[in-house]
Amino acid sequence: MAQKFYVASCMFTELEPALSRMVQAYVRERFNLPIIRCCVANYRVADCDNRVPDWYRDEWRAIKHYEKFPAGSTLVSICHNCSAIYEEQHPEIQRESIWELILSDEDFKYPNHGGEAITIQDCWRAKENSAEQAAVRELLRRMNFEVVELPENHEQTKFCGYTLYQPQPARNPALAPKRFRDGAQGLFQPHTDEQKRQLMREHCAQITTEKVAAYCHYCLRGLKLGNAKAFHLAELLFQTGKNIPA
């Protein structure tokens, strides 16, 4: 039977373990979704285990690393790498962002940010995903933010933090060549740490609001390197704890 399932993402969980744990609790309790850790079977399992903090490692290991779901099932993802790999390796699986899933939850309790202006940062890794982009903006509006756009947004964005200025993992172009090989000409070239910092500062200089929201963990790291006051969208949504099961 076709179903939805959630990929928690090894990289997102490594970078944001507490936040990943919150999102997993939400999709498990609110939607009863099965959860897997990775988008690739048997991919560096021990290494991924060891990269999460000690306090979370046993709980993370208890989650199934990978499972093959039947055709017609829907991947719910918080990671654009996972989405891109599924798109090219598993075209029989539908794709939905975590933001679209949250938007479908009529009982979600949105924090109120009082009309504060916030810039939205779109991601190169998902630049054509208009459904995700629309959901992100609607979620911000429901949190009572005034959404401010960057000049290069939606499909025009060229930003994914500093990751586009360093070599990418070999698995990405191997598993998703349309995105990470054919669609990445001129990207993923080596830069020094100082060059990356300067590029991020230059990008962040165009942000006119105090805060900026990202929905990609790579974008978030780049924005912070550029000294922006940046927040992951999941952090803004779950910061009050009202949507986390007891």
Side-chain angles (χ1 to χ4, degrees), residues 1-183:
M1 178 183 295
Q3 62 179 327
K4 290 186 178 182
F5 62 98
Y6 178 63
V7 180
S9 169
C10 302
M11 183 57 69
F12 175 67
T13 303
E14 175 189 346
L15 297 174
E16 302 284 347
L19 193 54
S20 178
R21 190 171 185 254
M22 289 180 188
V23 178
Q24 291 172 53
Y26 169 74
V27 300
R28 184 184 296 113
E29 297 298 325
R30 197 65 61 89
F31 292 96
N32 195 30
L33 298 191
I35 298 172
I36 59 175
R37 290 160 43 181
C38 190
C39 58
V40 180
N42 302 315
Y43 180 72
R44 297 173 63 180
V45 179
D47 182 50
C48 292
D49 287 348
N50 292 330
R51 289 190 297 176
V52 299
D54 292 344
W55 63 263
Y56 184 52
R57 190 165 298 142
D58 288 343
E59 187 175 336
W60 179 243
R61 283 173 172 163
I63 300 168
K64 185 175 293 188
H65 185 261
Y66 179 84
E67 182 176 352
K68 183 174 176 59
F69 289 90
S73 297
T74 298
L75 158 78
V76 177
S77 178
I78 198 166
C79 173
H80 296 140
N81 277 4
C82 293
S83 296
I85 288 170
Y86 259 87
E87 181 178 6
E88 297 194 39
Q89 291 293 313
H90 302 286
E92 75 282 3
I93 301 294
Q94 306 300 308
R95 292 168 307 283
E96 179 181 14
S97 70
I98 184 65
W99 321 119
E100 293 164 82
L101 184 74
I102 294 172
L103 196 58
S104 74
D105 182 359
E106 295 180 357
D107 296 323
F108 194 90
K109 299 175 179 64
Y110 294 94
N112 188 338
H113 289 271
E116 181 181 6
I118 193 167
T119 299
I120 181 62
Q121 177 64 66
D122 288 317
C123 177
W124 170 86
R125 294 172 193 260
K127 63 179 182 176
E128 302 92 351
N129 193 338
S130 58
E132 180 180 31
Q133 292 163 357
V136 164
R137 286 158 172 81
E138 181 58 27
L139 290 174
L140 288 170
R141 285 190 285 268
R142 292 192 185 189
M143 287 188 279
N144 199 10
F145 279 114
E146 177 190 346
V147 179
V148 177
E149 299 285 352
L150 289 170
E152 291 183 347
N153 60 1
H154 298 283
E155 71 278 2
Q156 300 301 317
T157 186
K158 302 180 182 69
F159 189 79
C160 190
Y162 55 83
T163 63
L164 303 184
Y165 302 104
Q166 61 189 23
Q168 63 176 322
R171 79 159 194 172
N172 288 352
L175 293 173
K178 291 180 182 178
R179 166 69 59 191
F180 294 115
R181 186 193 64 201
D182 303 342

Side-chain angles (χ1 to χ4, degrees), residues 173-215:
L175 293 173
K178 291 180 182 178
R179 166 69 59 191
F180 294 115
R181 186 193 64 201
D182 303 342
Q185 297 300 311
L187 302 177
F188 299 109
Q189 299 301 315
H191 289 69
T192 67
D193 289 344
E194 182 51 41
Q195 287 172 327
K196 286 186 276 190
R197 278 192 292 270
Q198 182 59 31
L199 286 163
M200 294 302 100
R201 291 190 193 111
E202 291 172 2
H203 177 83
C204 292
Q206 67 184 308
I207 297 171
T208 59
T209 58
E210 180 187 4
K211 297 177 181 176
V212 56
Y215 50 105

